[in-house]
Amino acid sequence: MRFKKYVLAFALTLSTVGCALGWSSSALAQAMAEGVVRRIDLDNNKITIRHGEVKALDMPPMTMVFVAKQPELLKSLAPGDAVVFEAFEVNGQYSVGKIQKK
C-alpha cells in the first residue's frame, strides 16, 4: 500500500511539473535527430526533412513534414542544408524545436 502512495505522488509531481512547463496531458516525446532539409514553407511554419532513424520516437529513416514551434528558426535554412534538430511528438503532431545547420 505504501508503494502505491509513492507511485501516485511521483505521478502527480510529474503531472504538475509538466503543466508548469506547458506540456499537454498526453505523453510528450522528444529526440535529437540529423537530417537534410528538403523544403521550407514559411507561410505555414513547416519544414520537410529527410532524416535518419529517431530511436526515441521509434521512427525509421524517412522524409516528413514538421511544424516549427519557432518559425524564425526556418529563415536561416535552405533546401539541401544538413541539420541537427529536436523533434517532438505531441498528440500525434510532429514538431521541430531547436534546429541548426551541421
Side-chain angles (χ1 to χ4, degrees):
M1 188 67 156
R2 179 176 267 168
F3 179 73
K4 288 182 181 179
K5 287 182 182 179
Y6 288 121
V7 171
L8 180 59
F10 181 70
L12 289 173
T13 301
L14 283 179
S15 175
T16 302
V17 169
C19 289
L21 294 174
W23 298 347
S24 69
S25 60
S26 70
L28 173 66
Q30 67 184 30
M32 293 303 292
E34 294 183 9
V36 176
V37 176
R38 304 301 288 165
R39 182 173 176 219
I40 297 174
D41 179 356
L42 292 175
D43 293 335
N44 295 301
N45 302 327
K46 294 182 179 181
I47 184 169
T48 303
I49 303 173
R50 185 182 78 226
H51 62 80
E53 181 180 14
V54 184
K55 289 183 181 181
L57 296 178
D58 194 28
M59 186 181 295
M62 66 176 74
T63 300
M64 63 182 295
V65 177
F66 294 89
V67 175
K69 291 298 181 184
Q70 298 173 4
E72 62 274 4
L73 294 175
L74 302 181
K75 294 179 181 178
S76 65
L77 300 172
D81 286 344
V83 293
V84 176
F85 63 99
E86 188 174 36
F88 295 90
E89 186 272 320
V90 180
N91 294 329
Q93 180 182 31
Y94 292 96
S95 302
V96 169
K98 301 173 186 174
I99 186 168
Q100 62 185 23
K101 293 180 187 179
K102 277 180 73 173

